[in-house]
Amino acid sequence: MVLADDEVERALVVVAHPDDADFWAGGTIVGWTSAGMAVTYGVLSDGDSGGFDPEVPRSAIPGIRRAEQEAAAAVLGVSDVRFLGYPDGDIEPSYALRRDITRLIRQVQPARMLTWSPEWSWRRFHRNHPDHRAAGEATLSAVFPDARNPFAHPELFSQEGLKPWEVSEVWLIGSPSPNHYVDITDTFDRKLAALRAHQSQTAHRDRLAEEVRERLAPNSQAAGLPADRLAEAFQAVTIT
């Protein structure tokens, strides 16, 4: 049983790239912030391998994508966006990444987290970007056991004063086994506005609204919602 939104004071979203959270959970996140939840984004890379305009120098992409992510997050009511600076396309579930995510968890002290599933999904193959799966694996390892273990990454306490923290639940995006659906029909327009803020990724997509609706349709069907409703899908895991 997932926590009710009004039971969650703080949530932490850890994703691999700018736009991950907004594409896959934007409607849900705006529902959280509208309920008064403080949401923090932890974005592992600057998305420096993204973008579609050959006229834009590659050196400019990280700054562009950071700015786009901050603008998109603001549309959804998120003002705290933190970039960890890992290379796009080369994220691995390393000890160093686990430590950095553990730091985020102890700083933010969230009851709820959202991240990528580390599992392969055959239904939508593009979910399986290696950065996505690595982000999920590292985040789950940071949730348990690292963040709650006072003897893991001891420098976080001895040098930074960050005490252990226990996360109550994790919502996984891109999971092959979704078990929780959120009706985002009423927040879809803000989700779409957030996606349009990622101009380097979406400006060339003339059918963006239709594409996103088509992506959400199977979720709505699986959730048993009427055909005119839209839903985002997650695997919600209670951490005990």
Side-chain angles (χ1 to χ4, degrees):
M1 181 69 68
V2 301
L3 295 169
D5 287 351
D6 60 8
E7 296 179 278
V8 179
E9 184 177 349
R10 295 178 298 276
L12 173 60
V13 177
V14 177
V15 289
H17 312 110
D19 81 22
D20 283 355
D22 311 316
F23 263 110
W24 294 91
T28 297
I29 291 167
V30 74
W32 293 353
T33 60
S34 297
M37 200 181 305
V39 178
T40 297
Y41 279 11
V43 185
L44 302 188
S45 81
D46 296 333
D48 48 285
S49 292
F52 296 89
D53 187 346
E55 301 300 319
V56 177
R58 299 310 303 172
S59 60
I61 293 296
I64 290 171
R65 298 207 65 190
R66 281 189 179 220
E68 289 174 348
Q69 178 61 96
E70 289 171 343
V75 171
L76 303 181
V78 177
S79 60
D80 187 5
V81 182
R82 309 183 192 187
F83 298 92
L84 274 67
Y86 281 79
D88 186 356
D90 193 24
I91 296 173
E92 298 179 344
S94 63
Y95 180 86
L97 179 55
R98 286 168 49 191
R99 179 200 60 221
D100 289 348
I101 298 172
T102 296
R103 177 184 290 110
L104 271 179
I105 293 171
R106 293 186 183 182
Q107 289 173 337
V108 175
Q109 299 184 335
R112 176 182 294 164
M113 290 190 63
L114 184 146
T115 191
W116 280 102
S117 170
E119 296 185 78
W120 281 84
S121 175
W122 302 110
R123 291 190 304 157
R124 285 187 175 169
F125 197 79
H126 65 272
R127 296 179 181 178
N128 299 313
H129 191 299
D131 284 355
H132 295 170
R133 291 182 288 109
E137 182 177 343
T139 300
L140 290 174
S141 295
V143 168
F144 181 85
D146 293 4
R148 64 175 60 193
N149 181 357
F151 305 109
H153 314 293
E155 67 276 14
L156 294 181
F157 179 71
S158 64
Q159 299 176 23
E160 302 179 38
L162 297 173
K163 298 179 181 180
W165 181 260
E166 295 187 13
V167 176
S168 298
E169 62 185 29
V170 180
W171 292 22
L172 302 174
I173 52 178
S175 170
S177 305
N179 61 5
H180 186 68
Y181 300 89
V182 177
D183 186 333
I184 66 157
T185 309
D186 296 337
T187 58
F188 178 78
D189 287 345
R190 285 181 67 181
K191 173 187 176 78
L192 191 62
L195 297 181
R196 294 195 189 283
H198 294 282
Q199 294 183 24
S200 66
Q201 309 303 299
T202 63
H204 64 291
R205 297 170 70 166
D206 297 333
R207 295 186 65 255
L208 180 63
E210 292 82 358
E211 290 173 2
V212 176
R213 286 180 179 276
E214 290 165 3
R215 176 184 290 182
L216 296 172
N219 299 336
S220 306
Q221 184 177 11
L225 294 172
D228 62 340
R229 308 300 290 181
L230 302 170
E232 291 174 336
F234 309 92
Q235 181 180 357
V237 180
T238 299
I239 311 298
T240 57

